[in-house]
Amino acid sequence: MATILITGGTGYIGAHAAAELMAAGWDVVLLDNLRNSTPGVLDRLAALTGKRAPFVQADVRDAAALDQVFAAHRIEAVMHFAGLKSVGQSWQQAALYLDNNVGGTACLVAAMERASVRRLVFSSSATVYGEPDGVPIPESAPLRSTNPYGRSKLLCEDMLRELQGADSRWQVALLRYFTPVGAHPSALLGESPQGVPNNLMPYIAQVAAGLRPELQVFGQDYPTLDGTGVRDYIHVVDLAQGHVAALRYVQQSGKGITVNLGTGQGISVLQMVRAFEAASGRPVALRFVDRRPGDVAACYAATDLAHSALGWRAQLPLSAMCADAWRWQQALAADRAE
Ligand code: NAD
Ligand code: UDP
């Protein structure tokens, strides 16, 4: 089978996508600058799949390194995960987010064009919907950004839409992720946030593990079922399988697509806390604090297009997201204890 280049391949979602692609019979080449991941992922991926994926330590803004990768491998398509993803950091380092995320994507696309590889699966985000007019959010909803990270994703989407509109040989899948959580059920792959986690699930996992005293719940007066923020959490393994489905779609149809990857189900912060307590058997202390600036009340996906076009639906329930995140949290603790 053909080879897929995975940028950001040692990162959280990229590594899960690599595992699913390899399980489905594809060869992969991983490229990452290791800014937010470690090479240990490569050993764990090999243990999981029984095969060691070639790895290139390089930045997607390094044109010469990209040319070398395309010269050395018969790349059939690229999955582009490499990017910076912290909303908070993007306010402090807006220029970095433009350079890394938008500049990185432009550099990759130019290298693909030089190599005549014009099939791309891109990691976009529900952040491109900004404060939505309503939920569930269809792909046709207006696009807006509320922070520099979101703007960088929107600019990448614009660039890729432009490219595809101008040259029909390009096939681009823009995948708008809702809120990826969980870990591989083997506990070999997962997310290892550096320092204080920004996101809900890793924060809850650390409270359950006794590493942090309590969860701060950002806001209790949203117009939602219990006043806390509602999100569409999707298991990272389901998300990774959505990438395989999107790749097959562009291969078979010869067309691009813009599609939401979510479950279509909204879960509140308090519902998530209760589900995690049930999965871990540990209490999660919490305290209500002010809303987090820029947060929307509710965000969940319309999933009809993913189902009708890709034949894909998220399968794994909230209990599996929590159980797998907890298993991963325990594996991390065991690693640190060694
Ligand atoms: P991650 O940080 O775990 O993985 C991204 C990887 O890209 C990291 O290993 C990092 O070292 C690498 N990287 C960053 N900039 C690079 C560069 N210039 N050159 C080479 N490698 C580089 O993040 P993730 O959660 O796996 O996210 C993957 C993609 O999905 C990102 O583009 C992110 O914006 C997008 N996304 C993530 C979420 C989420 O909640 N995790 C939601 C929506 C979209
Ligand atoms: N959240 C919270 N406390 C935290 C982290 C997040 O209450 O320590 C809330 C946040 O306000 C939002 C939900 O949990 O309503 C999901 O936040 P996360 O950052 O995980 O995902 P995103 O909002 O980026 O989809």
Side-chain angles (χ1 to χ4, degrees), residues 15-314:
H16 283 85
E20 293 305 319
L21 283 168
M22 290 165 85
W26 268 282
D27 286 331
V28 298
V29 176
L30 310 188
L31 180 143
D32 203 296
N33 65 2
L34 300 180
R35 184 182 174 120
N36 198 36
S37 54
T38 58
V41 172
L42 299 165
D43 297 332
R44 297 200 299 274
L45 200 51
L48 182 65
T49 61
K51 207 169 164 189
R52 181 157 280 274
F55 174 65
V56 180
Q57 184 176 346
D59 196 291
V60 284
R61 293 163 294 179
D62 181 343
L66 292 179
D67 286 344
Q68 266 180 26
V69 173
F70 285 108
H73 302 273
R74 283 180 58 86
I75 305 291
E76 133 112 29
V78 180
M79 286 196 183
H80 180 37
F81 297 92
L84 299 173
K85 60 170 182 176
S86 160
V87 172
Q89 187 190 39
S90 78
W91 282 112
Q92 271 110 47
Q93 295 180 276
L96 173 67
Y97 271 67
L98 280 174
D99 182 30
N100 194 82
N101 292 3
V102 186
T105 301
C107 190
L108 174 66
V109 158
M112 290 175 68
E113 182 68 44
R114 286 193 295 278
S116 302
V117 177
R118 299 187 182 87
R119 193 171 279 157
L120 176 67
V121 177
F122 176 70
S123 298
S124 189
S125 166
T127 190
V128 299
Y129 298 120
E131 172 95 49
D133 297 334
V135 281
I137 311 174
E139 287 82 358
S140 56
L143 303 180
R144 35 176 100 104
S145 58
T146 52
N147 55 66
Y149 166 70
R151 187 93 198 125
S152 78
K153 288 289 168 192
L154 209 44
L155 287 166
C156 288
E157 279 206 3
D158 282 341
M159 180 190 337
L160 297 173
R161 264 189 292 274
E162 179 71 28
L163 189 63
Q164 198 166 240
D167 181 345
S168 60
R169 290 174 302 174
W170 275 87
Q171 301 160 9
V172 181
L174 299 177
L175 305 186
R176 295 181 179 151
Y177 311 160
F178 280 66
T179 308
V181 294
H184 199 274
S186 63
L188 287 166
L189 305 175
E191 189 174 19
S192 327
Q194 328 252 317
V196 183
N198 292 314
N199 300 110
L200 181 65
M201 176 81 104
Y203 205 106
I204 291 179
Q206 293 195 3
V207 175
L211 300 172
R212 301 193 183 275
E214 63 186 9
L215 171 73
Q216 298 192 356
V217 177
F218 299 144
Q220 58 176 326
D221 57 353
Y222 284 109
T224 59
L225 74 167
D226 59 20
T228 65
V230 163
R231 296 289 180 278
D232 184 339
Y233 298 96
I234 174 169
H235 196 297
V236 65
V237 170
D238 270 333
L239 185 68
Q241 289 172 356
H243 288 70
V244 175
L247 179 62
R248 289 206 172 106
Y249 173 88
V250 289
Q251 270 183 332
Q252 284 163 14
S253 70
K255 289 191 302 196
I257 189 167
T258 299
V259 64
N260 290 336
L261 295 184
T263 65
Q265 200 195 348
I267 300 290
S268 76
V269 175
L270 295 182
Q271 287 175 320
M272 179 60 96
V273 169
R274 302 294 165 243
F276 206 94
E277 287 181 327
S280 65
R282 300 282 183 94
V284 174
L286 55 83
R287 182 162 58 94
F288 291 101
V289 298
D290 286 346
R291 291 180 178 193
R292 183 170 66 178
D295 264 357
V296 303
C299 175
Y300 52 93
T303 57
D304 321 271
L305 181 64
H307 188 234
S308 62
L310 307 185
W312 170 91
R313 257 194 222 289

